[in-house]
Every structure is written in C-alpha cells, then in structure tokens.
Amino acid sequence: MFQAFELGLLGVSAHIVDALPEAGGQCIALYADKPIYDIPGIKVCSGRELVARLLDQVAPFKPKLHLSQTVDNISAQPDGRYRVATSTGQVFLARSILIAAGVGAFQARKLHLPGLEVFEGTQVHYQTQAIAAAKGKSIVIIGGEQAALEAAAGACDSLARSVTLVHRRDVLHADADTLARIAAHRSNGRLRFVAGQANSCKGKARLHTVCVIDTDEQEIALKLDQLWVFLGLSPKLGPVAQWGLDMERKQLSVDTASFSTSAPGIFAVGDINHYPGKKKLILCGFHEATLAAFGAMQYIRPGEAVALQYTTTSTKLHKALGVA
C-alpha cells in the first residue's frame, strides 16, 4: 500500500493484487491485533490500525484492489510492457511491476481428514473463502483465534439452527469484545463448545458428520450442514519462484539503488527481497518502496529527470493529495 502511495506521488497509477480477501498482508494475517512499536512517529499501533492508516494515506490515488487472487504468470511483451495474469483470470498489461509479496502468498491451513477435500467450497469453507449464509443451518467451526470466534458469534447472531465451536483446549484468543460475545452465546445456549480435535468425517454425496476426539479421548459425532475451518494462514512463495528472476535464499535479489530485480522493469520491496545487510523490518520496507518508485519511473519514462518534490511545500503534490 505504501508502494502504491509513493508511485502516486510520482503520478503513476497502480493495481494491487493480493491473495488475502482484505488488504494488509502480514499485518492482517499474522499480527492484526498485536502492537507494533517501531513505526516512525507512531508510538504504538496494531497491525490492523497500521493497515487502516495506510489505506487512508493512499486513498487520494485510488489504487485498484484485486483481492483473493494471486499472480500466476508474467510474460514480457514486444512493446516492453508485461502481461500479468492472475488466478481468477484477470489480465493486466503493465509498464512496470513492483513485487511486495512479503514471505509469500498467505493461504489457509487445511484440515486434513480423509474425504474432506471433495466438500471444499460447498460445505467446507476456510477463512480465505466466502463463508456461506448461516441462518437455519447447523454450523461446526474449528479454531480458537479471533477469526474463528468472530465467525462463531456471527453465526449465532445470524440465527443458525446450531453452532458448535471446536478447539483443542478451552483457552480462546481474541479481543475483549469478541470474547464477551462468545461467553454470552455459550451462557444462553446458542453456542456449544467442544474441547478436542477433529479426526474423521462422514458423508458421500453430502458431508453430514465430523467426529471429534475430546480431551477425555472420547469420540463425539457432530452433525452439520457447514464446516468452517479457521486454522490460521501459512505463506507459500508460489509462482514467484517460476518467474525466472534471480533469487537467493528463496528471495529476490535486488540492486539497492532502485530495488530492481534481474528483469528490467520489475522491482521487489519488503520481505520478498534480499541484498547484503537486509533487515526484515516494516520501516525498511517503506524506504525500499520509495527508491523502487523512483526506479520504476526511470524505467517507465527513460531519459526523463524525475524531480524530487517535498510533500511539505509542493503545490503539485498538495493538489494530488487533496490538501491544496
């Protein structure tokens, strides 16, 4: 998002492609509600708050967000542009590409039960998928973190016929408001909690039961219409490794003058890149995005001088930011 902001200051529009269903990358996926103390000028903020601030900052430049998809293929075109194709069939023709993919595309950790995969997308939903409507249905939810608890509380609020939350132990992690909602629904009988782990499922044409081994090593059969799984996210480098770019330690090698990769017009910033002295810190990524934006401009408009303007004094930038 900050990369798009820096490009915007230079008059370059951007499209952002992200595997997650919401903007924010690692900040949302790994530490949405955890404190961050080393953002310059901000004493403390959560990952979620930082994402909100960045979205507000880049808003004047109206970047197009393309979520829940990954870039699967990049190919150079005769006119110097790149054809960029995503997992949902979207195709872009780009003058330049800036890769800010962190440690990879975040994907939902799967629940590995024999025969379960055939029901994915119909009765089995992971946290990166759209959750089906809950009203009138029997829902089993697996997980004990914020996303699982929000889904459980939401299913209860949506008048599901029954809601069962399964977690390996009766210790749940979420913000105070969500924990209070869960406690209220457990108290009034809307939400059933089972401490244990799923070990099998039943159903042929339709999934109808998930079996859980509880903490007393007893098997509990849970009837269901929908199974929602919230086991967290894990990053996968994915197609980046097949794009033919020079890599070291599974990261993209870059020239620190412009953070360009081995391919002309393709730049990499943040945790996805590697160079001598690299430090994996958010604040370092902000610096890298600034130099990459200038590098991209030099590639997009070769031979043109790229003026360094200051947001404090530039009337041109004030107009672009809507603060003139």
Side-chain angles (χ1 to χ4, degrees):
M1 290 179 287
F2 189 72
Q3 182 67 81
F5 174 77
E6 285 296 308
L7 289 168
L9 290 177
L10 297 176
V12 179
S13 61
H15 291 258
I16 300 175
V17 178
D18 199 306
L20 294 176
E22 59 182 321
Q26 289 186 81
C27 285
I28 286 294
L30 298 185
Y31 39 89
D33 300 299
K34 295 179 181 178
I36 305 171
Y37 297 98
D38 61 348
I39 304 301
I42 302 174
K43 184 177 180 180
V44 60
C45 69
S46 68
R48 194 182 307 278
E49 289 168 339
L50 178 59
V51 170
R53 288 170 180 262
L54 287 167
L55 283 171
D56 187 50
Q57 183 181 40
V58 76
F61 301 122
K62 298 179 173 61
K64 303 291 192 305
L65 295 176
H66 307 274
L67 305 174
S68 298
Q69 57 191 291
T70 57
V71 172
D72 287 347
N73 182 265
I74 292 175
S75 56
Q77 302 299 291
D79 63 359
R81 293 184 296 177
Y82 284 97
R83 182 182 185 274
V84 181
T86 80
S87 56
T88 63
Q90 288 226 60
V91 175
F92 308 97
L93 286 174
R95 298 287 300 277
S96 183
I97 298 170
L98 296 104
I99 303 172
V103 291
F106 283 94
Q107 300 177 9
R109 290 192 176 96
K110 297 295 183 74
L111 177 63
H112 297 292
L113 299 179
L116 188 66
E117 66 280 357
V118 300
F119 303 107
E120 288 183 12
T122 54
Q123 290 181 268
V124 179
H125 300 277
Y126 290 90
Q127 63 187 69
T128 55
Q129 298 175 331
I131 296 299
K135 186 176 181 179
K137 296 178 180 177
S138 295
I139 312 294
V140 173
I141 300 170
I142 296 180
E145 304 288 334
Q146 182 76 34
L149 273 58
E150 286 181 357
C156 292
D157 293 340
S158 299
L159 303 180
R161 183 165 66 245
S162 67
V163 183
T164 303
L165 178 65
V166 178
H167 187 49
R168 62 185 180 274
R169 57 198 182 102
D170 196 356
V171 178
L172 305 175
H173 299 280
D175 60 46
D177 289 343
T178 304
L179 288 173
R181 291 173 67 198
I182 291 296
H185 284 306
R186 290 178 70 174
S187 177
N188 64 26
R190 293 286 301 135
L191 176 66
R192 177 187 181 188
F193 178 81
V194 175
Q197 298 192 58
N199 74 329
S200 65
C201 63
K202 298 178 182 179
K204 292 184 179 179
R206 180 180 172 279
L207 178 67
H208 58 75
T209 304
V210 164
C211 295
V212 174
I213 301 297
D214 69 13
T215 53
D216 295 322
E217 299 188 357
Q218 300 297 309
E219 183 175 89
I220 301 173
L222 301 175
K223 299 293 183 180
L224 56 80
D225 297 309
Q226 296 278 330
L227 176 64
W228 299 352
V229 183
F230 294 84
L231 295 178
L233 299 167
S234 60
K236 297 185 184 300
L237 190 58
V240 175
Q242 279 76 56
W243 292 343
L245 304 172
D246 288 350
M247 303 190 75
E248 184 175 342
R249 304 177 188 173
K250 296 185 179 181
Q251 295 163 303
L252 297 172
S253 300
V254 294
D255 174 358
T256 54
S258 64
F259 290 89
S260 57
T261 67
S262 58
I266 300 181
F267 304 81
V269 300
D271 288 353
I272 193 67
N273 73 18
H274 176 77
Y275 54 88
K278 168 73 178 185
K279 298 294 183 290
K280 289 190 175 185
L281 295 170
I282 297 174
L283 61 91
C284 296
F286 291 155
H287 161 74
E288 294 170 9
T290 303
L291 295 189
F294 279 88
M297 277 295 292
Q298 291 172 348
Y299 178 79
I300 293 169
R301 299 174 188 167
E304 287 188 25
V306 182
L308 177 63
Q309 301 182 74
Y310 300 99
T311 57
T312 305
T313 56
S314 170
T315 54
K316 180 180 179 181
L317 294 184
H318 287 170
K319 183 177 180 179
L321 291 167
V323 296

